[in-house]
Amino acid sequence: MKQQFNVTGMSCAACSAHVEKAVRALPGLQDVQVNLLAGSMTAEYTEGQLSDQEIIQAVIDAGYGASVKGKTAAQQASAADNGQQELKSMQQRIVTSFVFLIVLMYISMGSMVGLPIPSFLSGAENAVNFALTQFLLTIPIVIVNKKYYINGFKTLWHRAPTMDALIAVGSSAALIYGVFVLYQLSWGLGHQDMPRVHQYMHDLYFESAAMILTLVTLGKYFETRAKKKTGEAISKLMDLRPKTAVILRDGTEVTVPIEEVQVGDLVVVRPGQNIPVDGIITEGQAALDEAALTGESIPVEKGVGDTVIAATINKNGFITFRASRVGDQTTLSQIIRLVEEASASKAPIAKLADRVAGVFVPIVLGIALITLIVWLLVGQTFTFALSCAISVLVISCPCALGLATPVAIMVGTGVGAENGVLFQSAEALELLHKVDAVVLDKTGTVTEGHPVVTDLKAFGVSEKELLEIAYTLEQPSEHPLAEAIVTYAKAKQTRSLSISGFEAQTGKGITALIDGHACIAGKAAMLEAQGISASQGSDYGNELAQQGKTPLYFARDGILIGVIGVADVAKPSSKQAIDQFKHLGIDVTLLTGDHRITAQAICDQLGIPHVIAEVLPQDKEREVRRLQSEGKTVAMVGDGINDAPALARADVGIAIGAGTDVAISSADVVLMKSDLMDAVNAIRLSRSVIRNIKENLFWAFIYNCIGIPLAAGVFWIPFALKLSPMFGAAAMSLSSVCVVSNALRLKFFRPLHAEINPQTPAVSMAEATDTRKDESTMEKTIVIEGMMCPHCSGHVHDALCKLSGVQSAEVSHETGKAICTLSEDVANEVLTQAVTDAGYKVVGIE
């Protein structure tokens, strides 16, 4: 069983390491990962051997707080409120600390820079007043920042010191020494021992203790604010969830909380409203904005039978749909879960930093003690030695090491989610940057996944007549190639003829009587078997076959009347994606079960260097393994179903076009859109994240490698360089802020988008080869605003073709134009009204 927990009280990487160690010692635990950044823990354990309460108790015994992570919107909102309350509390502590610190610094250091000091605080005779006033001003700062002492000494008691322990010990040492000096001054004045008074009067460290606490709190505040930004992607996804839904009960609309929606409920959504749960449309149609989930900026037209996804926005149209997934089962909830789990998981690159952070604080305490002893042994004053030891304690920062990886991982996974790229784990995110070979499935990945008509040629009849016969023959068939012809014919407004005696011969073709004429459709071999010569169209058919297309031959009354070419065409973005893979230095291979000629044609068209064709689904995994044996790090891009073995075998499996099924267990990365460019963006994002992590780790290691020796006074003898505890505290705070700020630069990552030039739709390709024009026809071009997808184009097409005098219309949402072929002059007002009635705006008519 896998369970997520909230963990409170963690302040540095040593904290998270100790919590992880405490939980890992429990019997029945399989794995545990603690995320300092998110204040969370994910534990996998065997039910029956271990329970949630036992895990929580182990965390409490280690000195921290824990609770099962809330899954409801109310619980998550409460957690967010707690985070906001913590920030507000820190603000109050900072204001209070600075008010007293400013006065304290004026009194303690004002005379050094020539500022006037009250007479009762100046001079050796007022040394006790001077020291006692500083002590009293320090006490409020210590009280408002008591959290460091409570947590720090508690972790020392549990023999697992953290950064809070370093701050508590360092500032306590300064305070205790200050109190010791206060007693020395009192003794000196009481016994008229003025040399003692002069010796200790300027050895007070109250301002250092106060400054350490104030600067660390300020640094923590900036760090916390920055860390909140790293989780913005998850917050934005959570904010998308509607709080209520309108459902139909006994024919009446009822508004209910989102938690009460059940599978099977009929949900009503009006324009401008969010889809509350996943479902299937039963009535109406609408354009849905899915940008928040898929990154696709163009609204998608949905109608009866189509799937709708929770948190998408209804831009226009009234729909009713039946709920199919509710609560934690919705696509949005699964996306949030994936992003949270990926953010909470640890990349392999983080293991070194975790090992160092786990022993960092005890080592620093040891170094501080050695620093104190060594300086005393070489003859320096106790004040000098103590100053160096305190500086070591407060400059050492395990936080920078602990935050180096998780902040980059969280920002990276968040940016990916915002652009429709979901990483299942931090390990997948890291591995992806090493990929030097990509294996692509063909159908549905590189190509559209369904056949379309690409070419048409008639012999002895008009193309219109050939298409009418083809449409009539193929309409009763359920074959995918038949579906392509039917779709093409419908788009051309082709009429259906009278048919009888329909007979389909599996793997060969179709025979039927159309208006009393014997008609045949199928392969050339079928026509030859019927004694019909296909030689007239054989050259054309062979040419189509060489291009990877499937030629279908049509005959009427024993005579060949035409050939139609059908193919699964490449997606518009595939060519650019493959070019980008090459630009990234990645070797590309097409892996498909299709015929070698078809596969090679796609490779030639798109520039894919390697192709492995005629491979059975179960053999795809073997081909991936072969590439790995050559020393390559392989990413497999497929649809996540028949490619599951290959996806699981690859170093990184990428499921493309997951749609509403984002929980594909065999994939490491899930792409919400059927766009190969997203696979490119996933690799680019991975490389950016890993580069950022390396920068963070370098800064964290170098900072501590330079800062600790400087604080210990190593450079005092050769260069007279010594670090004040106040500057040490400032540097420590700055180091964590720098690491988090550097990770936030990943939010500026911009995905590449396919640069697709408007092309003639596939349905008009055949016409494009025929340049003949009927002299009696004329054309008008209508410029239209508001068309955003192929469905929009279809609405306008249907509206125009219903008009008397409009012979045909070619409509493109990409160019925003409709080209009407007219058999007679149709008034501009009539054309404008037809488009307006369809819901779009006419800008002009040429």
Side-chain angles (χ1 to χ4, degrees):
M1 176 177 176
K2 180 184 282 189
Q3 182 65 276
Q4 286 191 309
F5 300 84
N6 292 316
V7 180
T8 58
M10 296 190 299
S11 61
C12 68
C15 297
S16 59
H18 185 56
V19 171
E20 194 166 301
K21 182 180 178 181
V23 175
R24 201 175 289 279
L26 295 172
L29 189 87
Q30 298 170 0
D31 188 33
V32 60
Q33 291 187 338
V34 179
N35 188 329
L36 167 67
L37 184 65
S40 66
M41 175 178 68
T42 302
E44 287 187 58
Y45 59 91
T46 304
E47 284 190 275
Q49 296 184 33
L50 194 60
S51 67
D52 291 347
Q53 194 54 46
E54 287 175 303
I55 293 173
I56 291 171
Q57 190 59 49
V59 176
I60 294 172
D61 291 342
Y64 303 89
S67 61
V68 175
K69 193 164 189 177
K71 294 183 178 180
T72 68
Q75 288 171 313
Q76 287 164 342
S78 177
D81 289 341
N82 289 340
Q84 199 63 37
Q85 190 63 37
E86 182 186 358
L87 269 178
K88 188 176 180 181
S89 173
M90 291 176 76
Q91 284 177 331
Q92 293 171 345
R93 286 161 51 196
I94 290 169
V95 171
T96 303
S97 297
F98 267 107
V99 167
F100 286 95
L101 181 65
I102 290 170
V103 180
L104 174 61
M105 294 301 292
Y106 183 92
I107 292 172
S108 63
M109 302 207 173
S111 59
M112 298 180 187
V113 293
L115 295 175
I117 300 295
S119 58
F120 73 93
L121 297 178
S122 61
E125 65 277 11
N126 292 311
V128 172
N129 291 349
F130 181 68
L132 186 59
T133 302
Q134 291 186 48
F135 177 65
L136 293 175
L137 287 169
T138 305
I139 293 301
I141 299 175
V142 172
I143 292 173
V144 297
N145 293 292
K146 62 183 182 295
K147 175 182 177 183
Y148 296 117
Y149 297 98
I150 295 171
N151 293 339
F153 287 118
K154 183 164 50 174
T155 59
L156 276 173
W157 177 259
H158 286 94
R159 296 185 299 281
T162 64
M163 189 199 75
D164 284 351
L166 296 179
I167 296 167
V169 171
S171 59
S172 294
L175 279 170
I176 292 170
Y177 183 70
V179 172
F180 167 76
V181 170
L182 184 57
Y183 276 99
Q184 290 292 331
L185 294 174
S186 298
W187 173 272
L189 288 175
H191 292 78
Q192 294 301 306
D193 187 356
M194 297 312 290
R196 182 186 293 267
V197 173
H198 286 291
Q199 176 188 347
Y200 284 104
M201 186 174 176
H202 295 291
D203 280 353
L204 294 166
Y205 274 92
F206 292 126
E207 79 281 356
S208 292
M211 183 68 83
I212 288 168
L213 294 170
T214 303
L215 288 178
V216 168
T217 303
L218 181 64
K220 280 287 182 183
Y221 173 73
F222 286 128
E223 180 187 320
T224 304
R225 279 191 58 186
K227 286 195 294 187
K228 280 177 66 69
K229 293 182 180 179
T230 66
E232 279 182 355
I234 297 176
S235 300
K236 287 178 181 176
L237 288 172
M238 290 181 174
D239 290 343
L240 291 173
R241 290 189 286 205
K243 303 295 185 293
T244 60
V246 178
I247 63 174
L248 286 176
R249 285 183 178 167
D250 300 325
T252 304
E253 293 185 8
V254 181
T255 301
V256 299
I258 192 71
E259 291 83 5
E260 294 183 14
V261 180
Q262 303 292 322
V263 174
D265 282 345
L266 285 175
V267 184
V268 174
V269 181
R270 291 179 167 78
Q273 294 180 339
N274 284 25
I275 305 294
V277 295
D278 292 0
I280 298 173
I281 296 177
T282 58
E283 183 182 348
Q285 61 180 26
L288 300 185
D289 182 355
E290 299 181 346
L293 300 185
T294 67
E296 178 57 63
S297 59
I298 300 175
V300 180
E301 288 284 341
K302 300 277 187 175
V304 175
D306 289 335
T307 300
V308 294
I309 308 173
T312 55
I313 303 170
N314 182 5
K315 302 298 286 186
N316 60 60
F318 178 94
I319 58 172
T320 302
F321 69 90
R322 191 171 299 279
S324 59
R325 292 180 179 180
V326 299
D328 292 340
Q329 301 304 312
T330 63
T331 299
L332 177 64
S333 295
Q334 292 186 53
I335 291 174
I336 292 172
R337 177 181 56 78
L338 285 179
V339 177
E340 285 182 331
E341 288 182 358
S343 300
S345 62
K346 289 185 179 178
I349 197 172
K351 291 178 181 177
L352 173 62
D354 284 349
R355 285 197 295 269
V356 173
V359 297
F360 186 88
V361 176
I363 290 175
V364 169
L365 287 170
I367 293 173
L369 182 60
I370 292 170
T371 299
L372 178 68
I373 294 171
V374 168
W375 281 119
L376 290 174
L377 290 176
V378 299
Q380 284 289 350
T381 65
F382 182 77
T383 302
F384 182 93
L386 181 63
S387 173
C388 290
I390 293 174
S391 294
V392 169
L393 291 172
V394 297
I395 198 172
S396 307
C397 185
C399 283
L401 280 172
L403 293 172
T405 300
V407 288
I409 293 292
M410 181 169 278
V411 177
T413 52
V415 169
E418 288 174 356
N419 291 282
V421 178
L422 304 179
F423 295 95
Q424 298 268 25
S425 66
E427 184 176 7
L429 180 59
E430 178 179 342
L431 271 176
L432 200 56
H433 93 282
K434 299 179 181 178
V435 166
D436 54 11
V438 168
V439 176
L440 305 175
D441 175 47
K442 182 181 81 70
T443 306
T445 301
V446 174
T447 65
E448 293 287 2
H450 55 84
V452 297
V453 172
T454 59
D455 303 88
L456 183 149
K457 189 170 185 178
F459 301 102
V461 298
S462 68
E463 289 184 356
K464 180 181 177 183
E465 193 174 355
L466 168 62
L467 192 55
E468 287 176 346
I469 292 172
Y471 178 39
T472 306
L473 278 171
E474 302 290 3
Q475 202 170 13
S477 175
E478 296 179 353
H479 195 280
L481 298 181
E483 184 180 345
I485 292 175
V486 170
T487 302
Y488 176 88
K490 284 182 177 178
K492 301 293 292 179
Q493 301 291 301
T494 304
R495 66 189 180 102
S496 179
L497 306 176
S498 174
I499 185 172
S500 61
F502 175 87
E503 182 180 350
Q505 299 183 26
T506 305
K508 295 181 180 180
I510 298 169
T511 61
L513 289 174
I514 298 178
D515 291 342
H517 298 280
C519 297
I520 299 175
K523 298 179 179 179
M526 181 173 179
L527 269 66
E528 299 289 350
Q530 297 285 337
I532 302 171
S533 173
S535 58
Q536 186 178 5
S538 60
D539 289 343
Y540 184 68
N542 291 336
E543 182 183 336
L544 293 178
Q546 288 298 320
Q547 296 172 11
K549 302 172 183 178
T550 301
L552 298 176
Y553 295 81
F554 294 85
R556 183 178 62 183
D557 294 333
I559 300 173
L560 180 73
I561 60 171
V563 179
I564 296 178
V566 179
D568 182 9
V569 297
K571 293 178 181 177
S573 62
S574 292
K575 179 70 168 68
Q576 185 181 348
I578 288 160
D579 289 342
Q580 285 296 326
F581 280 133
K582 293 178 182 177
H583 179 70
L584 293 172
I586 297 172
D587 196 28
V588 184
T589 301
L590 185 70
L591 187 62
T592 178
D594 279 0
H595 192 276
R596 180 167 297 277
I597 293 177
T598 303
Q600 189 61 54
I602 290 291
C603 287
D604 293 341
Q605 178 186 348
L606 301 179
I608 300 176
H610 311 294
V611 58
I612 302 172
E614 301 175 8
V615 177
L616 296 174
Q618 58 267 32
D619 295 328
K620 289 184 177 182
E621 182 267 348
R622 185 188 66 240
E623 294 297 336
V624 171
R625 192 167 64 245
R626 181 185 62 78
L627 286 171
Q628 290 173 325
S629 68
E630 296 175 1
K632 296 183 180 296
T633 303
V634 181
M636 170 71 190
V637 187
D639 61 14
I641 302 171
N642 62 344
D643 299 313
L647 286 167
R649 165 59 61 180
D651 295 287
V652 181
I654 303 176
I656 189 170
T660 59
D661 187 12
V662 299
I664 298 176
S665 59
S666 56
D668 302 299
V669 182
V670 179
L671 309 181
M672 292 298 291
K673 291 182 292 182
S674 297
D675 191 340
L676 198 56
M677 280 300 295
D678 283 346
V680 174
N681 289 324
I683 293 174
R684 290 179 57 245
L685 178 58
S686 171
R687 292 185 178 184
S688 295
V689 169
I690 298 305
R691 183 167 58 249
N692 192 280
I693 289 174
K694 289 178 178 178
E695 291 168 355
N696 284 347
L697 286 174
F698 174 80
W699 163 253
F701 275 112
I702 291 298
Y703 161 79
N704 284 293
C705 288
I706 295 174
I708 293 175
L710 180 62
V714 171
F715 301 109
W716 173 255
I717 295 175
F719 307 111
L721 286 177
K722 177 177 170 293
L723 193 68
S724 163
M726 291 182 288
F727 288 108
M732 186 271 282
S733 299
L734 186 62
S735 66
S736 296
V737 174
C738 286
V739 165
V740 176
S741 300
N742 185 52
L744 286 173
R745 290 192 304 113
L746 288 168
K747 294 177 75 71
F748 296 105
F749 174 86
R750 291 294 176 264
L752 296 174
H753 296 288
E755 297 174 1
I756 305 169
N757 294 321
Q759 296 176 345
T760 307
V763 293
S764 61
M765 281 186 175
E767 285 186 345
T769 61
D770 187 0
T771 58
R772 294 173 297 175
K773 290 283 182 182
D774 189 338
E775 293 181 0
S776 63
T777 63
M778 62 180 295
E779 284 187 354
K780 285 190 176 182
T781 301
I782 309 172
V783 182
I784 303 170
E785 275 187 1
M787 295 190 298
M788 294 180 288
C789 65
H791 290 286
C792 297
S793 304
H795 294 326
V796 174
H797 176 277
D798 294 344
L800 291 171
C801 288
K802 289 177 182 177
L803 297 176
S804 176
V806 177
Q807 201 172 66
S808 66
E810 291 184 14
V811 185
S812 171
H813 68 280
E814 294 172 331
T815 61
K817 293 182 179 181
I819 302 175
C820 298
T821 302
L822 310 176
S823 57
E824 59 185 64
D825 189 19
V826 179
N828 290 352
E829 292 78 7
V830 174
L831 296 172
T832 300
Q833 189 60 47
V835 175
T836 303
D837 291 344
Y840 305 92
K841 180 181 178 181
V842 174
V843 177
I845 299 179
E846 303 169 0

